Amino acid sequence: MPEVKSTLREVLPKQGQLSMEDVPTMVLCKPKLLPLKSVTLEKLEKMQKDAQEIIKQQELALRQQQQLEKAE
């Protein structure tokens, strides 16, 4: 295909004022979803939950041991 070169002529007014406005426009970007809880907070809560479960297991084992000693 032959290349078509279009020429644009610049037209400047011979009378009056020439002005150009550069108006900044807002650019909207995709919203970023933030987690409700931080990763650190989630880790701390998991550690606390695990510690509470370990304590419950230890208390249960202690109660069972005390009941066995009373039964003997």
Side-chain angles (χ1 to χ4, degrees):
M1 290 177 70
E3 290 186 29
V4 178
K5 291 186 178 181
S6 62
T7 58
L8 297 175
R9 284 187 324 135
E10 188 175 293
V11 179
L12 297 174
K14 296 184 179 174
Q15 293 180 350
Q17 294 180 344
L18 176 64
S19 66
M20 182 177 166
E21 291 184 25
D22 185 22
V23 180
T25 58
M26 288 181 33
V27 177
L28 299 177
C29 60
K30 208 173 193 181
K32 295 182 173 98
L33 297 177
L34 297 175
L36 294 176
K37 293 183 181 179
S38 68
V39 176
T40 307
L41 181 60
E42 287 179 0
K43 286 181 182 177
L44 288 172
E45 286 179 346
K46 184 180 181 302
M47 287 172 50
Q48 185 177 14
K49 182 181 172 187
D50 292 344
Q52 286 176 346
E53 287 179 14
I54 290 171
I55 290 172
K56 284 181 183 178
Q57 290 174 356
Q58 289 175 350
E59 288 176 352
L60 183 61
L62 183 62
R63 285 183 195 151
Q64 288 176 351
Q65 186 179 11
Q66 288 176 351
Q67 287 177 355
L68 286 175
E69 289 175 358
K70 286 181 183 179
E72 291 177 356

